[in-house]
Amino acid sequence: MLKEEKSINIEINNMKKLLIVLFMILASSANGQSPCGDDGLCVVQFNAGFNEANKVTWLGDLTDCENKFIDIQTDAAAAGKYKIVVVPTILIFNGEEEVGRFQANIMMKMETTKDEVQEKIDEIIMEDF
């Protein structure tokens, strides 16, 4: 009987270690990961199909960065992962780190201008020198 208890305790300890490792892997992949990958500057617009009228149209005109669009109506997990509470929202990533966030007003309209976002991009580039 003692041998069985010892074996069960070893199995429980191994399960605990496995759960800790699994938790660490999940936690590291959920935080700070850019939807564009892990290199360079990336600007991401989060919007939803129901708010198409307020889509930011000038995102592709930004320079020195990649850009991406994510529709949270079809990718609901992204809304939670990146803590999107209003659409449109624009996030700037430098590598895997979020370095800028611009959110729409209560009417779901982006008041931030292209020049303001470009200024933030330029500032990030200058900081890397």
Side-chain angles (χ1 to χ4, degrees):
M1 180 107 167
L2 244 66
K3 208 173 197 182
E4 288 178 24
E5 285 180 25
K6 189 174 182 179
S7 178
I8 290 172
N9 283 338
I10 290 171
E11 286 182 43
I12 289 172
N13 284 336
N14 287 339
M15 290 290 279
K16 286 179 183 178
K17 289 176 187 175
L18 183 63
L19 286 173
I20 289 170
V21 170
L22 182 61
F23 176 77
M24 290 172 63
I25 290 169
L26 291 174
S28 68
S29 67
N31 291 329
Q33 190 172 6
S34 168
C36 298
D38 58 0
D39 291 337
L41 281 173
C42 176
V43 180
V44 184
Q45 176 184 181
F46 294 85
N47 204 349
F50 63 81
N51 193 39
E52 183 69 24
N54 292 321
K55 182 178 180 179
V56 176
T57 58
W58 44 258
L59 206 67
D61 298 334
L62 297 171
T63 60
D64 301 316
C65 64
E66 291 182 53
N67 63 68
K68 184 170 180 160
F69 177 84
I70 296 177
D71 185 336
I72 64 166
Q73 195 169 350
T74 58
D75 187 357
K81 181 176 183 177
Y82 298 104
K83 298 177 176 77
I84 306 301
V85 294
V86 64
V87 289
T89 292
I90 295 173
L91 299 185
I92 302 175
F93 291 90
N94 189 7
E96 293 186 356
E97 180 184 359
E98 179 185 325
V99 293
R101 180 178 287 253
F102 303 92
Q103 296 178 317
N105 62 21
I106 195 166
M107 299 300 291
M108 294 192 295
K109 248 188 122 158
M110 182 62 69
E111 292 180 344
T112 302
T113 66
K114 177 184 108 175
D115 290 339
E116 291 171 319
V117 176
Q118 187 65 59
E119 185 177 311
K120 181 67 176 174
I121 292 167
D122 295 343
E123 179 183 303
I124 295 163
I125 290 170
M126 294 305 292
E127 287 174 356
D128 284 346
F129 281 109

